[in-house]
Amino acid sequence: MISVLIALWFNLNILIMKTIKLAMLVVIAIGMTKCSSDVENDIQQNTTITQEDISPEILSKLQRMGFDTDKTSVASAKGGYIVDGDIFITEETLKETNFQKQAFYTIVDCNRAGNIRIQNALGNNAAGRGFQRGIDLWNRVNRTTLRLIPVNNNPDILVRLSNPGEIGGWGLGEFPSNGVEGGLIILNLNEPSIDGDPVTAREWGNILAHEIGHNIGFLHAEQGFFGTQIPGTPNVDPNSIMTSGSNPNVVFNANDVSNFDKRAIRRMYSNRNNRLCN
Ligand SMILES: [Zn+2]
């Protein structure tokens, strides 16, 4: 069983995004070098393909970009698609649109999610004082069966401080695996707040809520290209508690999880027929 750790907040996170974007830029650059001389020919050769040949996935992505694909022609072309007659959209651009969706990576079994034992091993400090806020932000959401129960022993999720040099940034969460929530959350007291002051208890609560989000399956709101979009959530949610550390003021200043975070968690964990958990 492989535990997938998600590296959060700044250092690793930004490094990963930079690597992905760099890799894509390289691909785009190589593609342009190889194809720039014959792009026009390729486009003309392939415009006979009708919209029926375009996969539903591509059509859905174009819809998310704002095209009315019921009324707009879409033709396949080398390296991308021609939309509305003369707009060439590369496959890379379509992949980029996936960078903005609220999504989960994997999910916790319904029964487990209703009783997740979580232990505060942070000690007497601002992070420890923020613990209750962190779990309350999720427990306060109504019409979901997700429940985080504070315990003093045998936790499902242990929340502890980082050892010296263990992590960069404010925190680390762990994705679920095989229907079991991620078992560890680490918070780093040595990381200053976005204004340079020590992180307050309230801010630690927000950060913990964010990390708990990972342990129950959420990706970053901007990183949905890894996972599955949660039905009923938008491609962009600027207020999501799952906003990545590259835009930390959203989490630091949050009064609550966002309305779409609530919608997402209700869809993931509930007693309704359309729930996503098993
Ligand atoms: Zn995160």
mmCIF file of all heavy atoms in Angstrom, residues 8-9 210-211 214 220 242, ligand 1:
data_model
loop_
_atom_site.group_PDB
_atom_site.id
_atom_site.type_symbol
_atom_site.label_atom_id
_atom_site.label_comp_id
_atom_site.label_asym_id
_atom_site.label_seq_id
_atom_site.Cartn_x
_atom_site.Cartn_y
_atom_site.Cartn_z
ATOM 1 N N LEU A 8 2.642 20.458 0.386
ATOM 2 C CA LEU A 8 1.808 21.639 0.337
ATOM 3 C C LEU A 8 2.611 22.898 0.517
ATOM 4 O O LEU A 8 3.669 22.889 1.101
ATOM 5 C CB LEU A 8 0.817 21.596 1.484
ATOM 6 C CG LEU A 8 0.198 20.235 1.685
ATOM 7 C CD1 LEU A 8 -0.435 20.182 3.026
ATOM 8 C CD2 LEU A 8 -0.800 20.007 0.608
ATOM 9 N N TRP A 9 2.002 23.955 0.084
ATOM 10 C CA TRP A 9 2.472 25.258 0.489
ATOM 11 C C TRP A 9 3.869 25.546 0.005
ATOM 12 O O TRP A 9 4.829 25.032 0.518
ATOM 13 C CB TRP A 9 2.438 25.405 2.013
ATOM 14 C CG TRP A 9 1.081 25.193 2.526
ATOM 15 C CD1 TRP A 9 0.631 24.122 3.218
ATOM 16 C CD2 TRP A 9 -0.025 26.048 2.355
ATOM 17 N NE1 TRP A 9 -0.683 24.275 3.498
ATOM 18 C CE2 TRP A 9 -1.113 25.451 2.985
ATOM 19 C CE3 TRP A 9 -0.214 27.273 1.709
ATOM 20 C CZ2 TRP A 9 -2.359 26.023 3.006
ATOM 21 C CZ3 TRP A 9 -1.451 27.831 1.744
ATOM 22 C CH2 TRP A 9 -2.496 27.211 2.393
ATOM 23 N N HIS A 210 -7.488 23.112 5.806
ATOM 24 C CA HIS A 210 -6.950 22.837 4.463
ATOM 25 C C HIS A 210 -6.277 21.467 4.423
ATOM 26 O O HIS A 210 -6.544 20.659 3.525
ATOM 27 C CB HIS A 210 -5.974 23.957 4.084
ATOM 28 C CG HIS A 210 -5.239 23.731 2.807
ATOM 29 N ND1 HIS A 210 -5.555 24.401 1.636
ATOM 30 C CD2 HIS A 210 -4.193 22.914 2.499
ATOM 31 C CE1 HIS A 210 -4.738 23.988 0.673
ATOM 32 N NE2 HIS A 210 -3.896 23.095 1.168
ATOM 33 N N GLU A 211 -5.444 21.195 5.419
ATOM 34 C CA GLU A 211 -4.730 19.903 5.434
ATOM 35 C C GLU A 211 -5.708 18.746 5.611
ATOM 36 O O GLU A 211 -5.572 17.712 4.950
ATOM 37 C CB GLU A 211 -3.682 19.876 6.551
ATOM 38 C CG GLU A 211 -2.682 21.023 6.557
ATOM 39 C CD GLU A 211 -1.937 21.189 5.253
ATOM 40 O OE1 GLU A 211 -2.052 20.329 4.358
ATOM 41 O OE2 GLU A 211 -1.230 22.208 5.106
ATOM 42 N N HIS A 214 -7.065 17.600 2.426
ATOM 43 C CA HIS A 214 -6.235 16.627 1.691
ATOM 44 C C HIS A 214 -6.438 15.220 2.248
ATOM 45 O O HIS A 214 -6.548 14.254 1.498
ATOM 46 C CB HIS A 214 -4.756 16.994 1.788
ATOM 47 C CG HIS A 214 -4.388 18.212 0.998
ATOM 48 N ND1 HIS A 214 -4.740 18.386 -0.318
ATOM 49 C CD2 HIS A 214 -3.672 19.323 1.335
ATOM 50 C CE1 HIS A 214 -4.272 19.547 -0.750
ATOM 51 N NE2 HIS A 214 -3.629 20.143 0.236
ATOM 52 N N HIS A 220 -5.767 20.425 -4.454
ATOM 53 C CA HIS A 220 -5.880 21.878 -4.488
ATOM 54 C C HIS A 220 -6.912 22.280 -5.536
ATOM 55 O O HIS A 220 -7.059 21.604 -6.554
ATOM 56 C CB HIS A 220 -4.528 22.523 -4.827
ATOM 57 C CG HIS A 220 -3.558 22.427 -3.692
ATOM 58 N ND1 HIS A 220 -2.219 22.283 -3.875
ATOM 59 C CD2 HIS A 220 -3.770 22.453 -2.352
ATOM 60 C CE1 HIS A 220 -1.625 22.226 -2.694
ATOM 61 N NE2 HIS A 220 -2.540 22.322 -1.753
ATOM 62 N N MET A 242 -9.308 25.018 -0.177
ATOM 63 C CA MET A 242 -8.327 24.142 -0.811
ATOM 64 C C MET A 242 -7.469 24.878 -1.841
ATOM 65 O O MET A 242 -6.783 24.246 -2.635
ATOM 66 C CB MET A 242 -9.019 22.927 -1.437
ATOM 67 C CG MET A 242 -9.765 22.048 -0.453
ATOM 68 S SD MET A 242 -8.824 21.663 1.068
ATOM 69 C CE MET A 242 -7.409 20.790 0.383
HETATM 70 ZN ZN ZN B 1 -2.657 21.961 0.171
#
